[in-house]
Amino acid sequence: MTNEHDKLRIAIIVGSTRPGRRGADVAAWVADAARRRTDATYDVVDLADHPLPHLDEAMPPILGSYTEPHTRAWAATIAEYDGFIVVTPEYNHSIPGVLKNAIDFLFAERNHKAAGVVAYGAENGARAAEHLRQIFGELKVPVVRQYVGLSLYLDFEDFERLAPRPELSGSLETLFDEVTLWGEALRRVRVGRLAAA
Ligand SMILES: Cc1cc2nc3c(=O)[nH]c(=O)nc-3n(C[C@H](O)[C@H](O)[C@H](O)COP(=O)(O)O)c2cc1C
């Protein structure tokens, strides 16, 4: 866990892995805006760089008794961060299976950390974003109010080249503001719990 006086560390998680995905461009847009901020350090964590099999741990993640090297490596990666900005497309009114699987692998490494959602799809990824909010509730991850939703019709030229509407930049800044505000507050909660233990 980061020290109370360190800069917050926020992971920008790329939640799709298919060849030709739009997710890499959306994450690059988020990371580019994040680089201009001084309130936290932001790293891109691409699920394509952290390949995981379908959940193959015998014990439920809530017990924290991970046995597989890939689980331990993924847990160590996620444990480093104070918060998450998840870049997710909408697949069949939800998040991609690869993202749900990566979430299902872990528990404590996410507890009491803040998250924000940048979603995209034909309907701004709204249903994926709302579903992720529900999933993260079970992992003790509050998802901030602001979400950024990109439309395949309005924010991609010819459905391919990312060209976000200018007003989305303001929404993205608000999302950063909210994630860092909650991220700071929850880090104090985690530090306090450790001190009391
Ligand atoms: C399996 C699949 C299911 C999809 N389902 C939806 C959907 O339910 N609603 C929607 O708005 N878009 C849907 N789409 C469109 C995707 O949101 C869009 O293609 C997006 O670019 C996919 O993200 P990716 O390019 O990062 O893989 C779906 C796409 C795929 C591949």
Tab-separated table of all heavy atoms in Angstrom, residues 61-62 64 66 106-113 139:
chain	number	residue	atom	x	y	z
A	61	PRO	N	-11.578	-16.220	-3.557
A	61	PRO	CA	-10.594	-15.129	-3.386
A	61	PRO	C	-10.738	-14.401	-2.059
A	61	PRO	O	-9.755	-13.852	-1.556
A	61	PRO	CB	-10.895	-14.194	-4.558
A	61	PRO	CG	-11.626	-15.022	-5.542
A	61	PRO	CD	-12.330	-16.103	-4.812
A	62	ILE	N	-11.913	-14.381	-1.480
A	62	ILE	CA	-12.111	-13.666	-0.217
A	62	ILE	C	-11.216	-14.254	0.888
A	62	ILE	O	-10.878	-13.565	1.856
A	62	ILE	CB	-13.608	-13.680	0.190
A	62	ILE	CG1	-13.893	-12.583	1.214
A	62	ILE	CG2	-14.042	-15.043	0.676
A	62	ILE	CD1	-15.365	-12.322	1.448
A	64	GLY	N	-8.102	-15.207	0.345
A	64	GLY	CA	-6.748	-14.707	0.086
A	64	GLY	C	-5.681	-15.789	0.024
A	64	GLY	O	-4.494	-15.482	0.126
A	66	TYR	N	-4.129	-17.585	-2.316
A	66	TYR	CA	-3.841	-17.803	-3.733
A	66	TYR	C	-2.702	-18.815	-3.885
A	66	TYR	O	-1.699	-18.734	-3.178
A	66	TYR	CB	-3.423	-16.488	-4.390
A	66	TYR	CG	-4.391	-15.334	-4.182
A	66	TYR	CD1	-3.921	-14.052	-3.906
A	66	TYR	CD2	-5.772	-15.522	-4.262
A	66	TYR	CE1	-4.803	-12.984	-3.732
A	66	TYR	CE2	-6.656	-14.464	-4.074
A	66	TYR	CZ	-6.162	-13.196	-3.809
A	66	TYR	OH	-7.022	-12.148	-3.630
A	106	LEU	N	-9.550	-11.677	-7.586
A	106	LEU	CA	-9.002	-11.035	-6.375
A	106	LEU	C	-10.107	-10.525	-5.468
A	106	LEU	O	-11.250	-10.363	-5.888
A	106	LEU	CB	-8.091	-9.869	-6.770
A	106	LEU	CG	-6.974	-10.168	-7.769
A	106	LEU	CD1	-6.196	-8.892	-8.058
A	106	LEU	CD2	-6.046	-11.260	-7.245
A	107	PHE	N	-9.740	-10.209	-4.240
A	107	PHE	CA	-10.698	-9.589	-3.320
A	107	PHE	C	-10.024	-8.474	-2.521
A	107	PHE	O	-10.199	-7.296	-2.798
A	107	PHE	CB	-11.318	-10.642	-2.388
A	107	PHE	CG	-12.391	-10.068	-1.507
A	107	PHE	CD1	-13.633	-9.722	-2.039
A	107	PHE	CD2	-12.171	-9.861	-0.154
A	107	PHE	CE1	-14.629	-9.160	-1.243
A	107	PHE	CE2	-13.161	-9.314	0.657
A	107	PHE	CZ	-14.389	-8.963	0.112
A	108	ALA	N	-9.206	-8.829	-1.523
A	108	ALA	CA	-8.671	-7.834	-0.579
A	108	ALA	C	-7.852	-6.745	-1.266
A	108	ALA	O	-7.819	-5.601	-0.798
A	108	ALA	CB	-7.809	-8.534	0.472
A	109	GLU	N	-7.224	-7.092	-2.383
A	109	GLU	CA	-6.350	-6.126	-3.069
A	109	GLU	C	-7.128	-4.919	-3.599
A	109	GLU	O	-6.535	-3.895	-3.932
A	109	GLU	CB	-5.622	-6.815	-4.230
A	109	GLU	CG	-4.631	-7.888	-3.805
A	109	GLU	CD	-5.309	-9.193	-3.386
A	109	GLU	OE1	-6.535	-9.355	-3.626
A	109	GLU	OE2	-4.617	-10.048	-2.799
A	110	ARG	N	-8.447	-5.070	-3.687
A	110	ARG	CA	-9.262	-3.951	-4.183
A	110	ARG	C	-10.052	-3.258	-3.073
A	110	ARG	O	-10.561	-2.160	-3.291
A	110	ARG	CB	-10.264	-4.450	-5.228
A	110	ARG	CG	-9.640	-4.920	-6.506
A	110	ARG	CD	-10.707	-5.118	-7.575
A	110	ARG	NE	-10.185	-5.876	-8.694
A	110	ARG	CZ	-9.575	-5.328	-9.739
A	110	ARG	NH1	-9.424	-4.028	-9.803
A	110	ARG	NH2	-9.125	-6.088	-10.719
A	111	ASN	N	-10.166	-3.903	-1.920
A	111	ASN	CA	-11.065	-3.389	-0.874
A	111	ASN	C	-10.723	-1.966	-0.474
A	111	ASN	O	-9.556	-1.607	-0.293
A	111	ASN	CB	-10.986	-4.249	0.388
A	111	ASN	CG	-11.576	-5.642	0.247
A	111	ASN	OD1	-11.467	-6.447	1.164
A	111	ASN	ND2	-12.186	-5.945	-0.888
A	112	HIS	N	-11.756	-1.145	-0.282
A	112	HIS	CA	-11.632	0.229	0.212
A	112	HIS	C	-10.716	1.071	-0.686
A	112	HIS	O	-9.868	1.826	-0.204
A	112	HIS	CB	-11.138	0.239	1.671
A	112	HIS	CG	-11.962	-0.639	2.557
A	112	HIS	ND1	-13.308	-0.454	2.732
A	112	HIS	CD2	-11.628	-1.731	3.290
A	112	HIS	CE1	-13.780	-1.395	3.541
A	112	HIS	NE2	-12.788	-2.187	3.886
A	113	LYS	N	-10.888	0.891	-1.970
A	113	LYS	CA	-10.205	1.726	-2.967
A	113	LYS	C	-11.281	2.270	-3.905
A	113	LYS	O	-12.312	1.636	-4.109
A	113	LYS	CB	-9.169	0.894	-3.741
A	113	LYS	CG	-8.043	0.387	-2.829
A	113	LYS	CD	-7.042	-0.457	-3.578
A	113	LYS	CE	-5.906	-0.896	-2.651
A	113	LYS	NZ	-4.903	-1.731	-3.360
A	139	LEU	N	-16.976	-5.850	-3.937
A	139	LEU	CA	-15.539	-5.868	-3.606
A	139	LEU	C	-15.145	-4.678	-2.734
A	139	LEU	O	-13.965	-4.382	-2.576
A	139	LEU	CB	-14.725	-5.847	-4.907
A	139	LEU	CG	-14.904	-7.100	-5.758
A	139	LEU	CD1	-14.337	-6.895	-7.145
A	139	LEU	CD2	-14.252	-8.299	-5.094
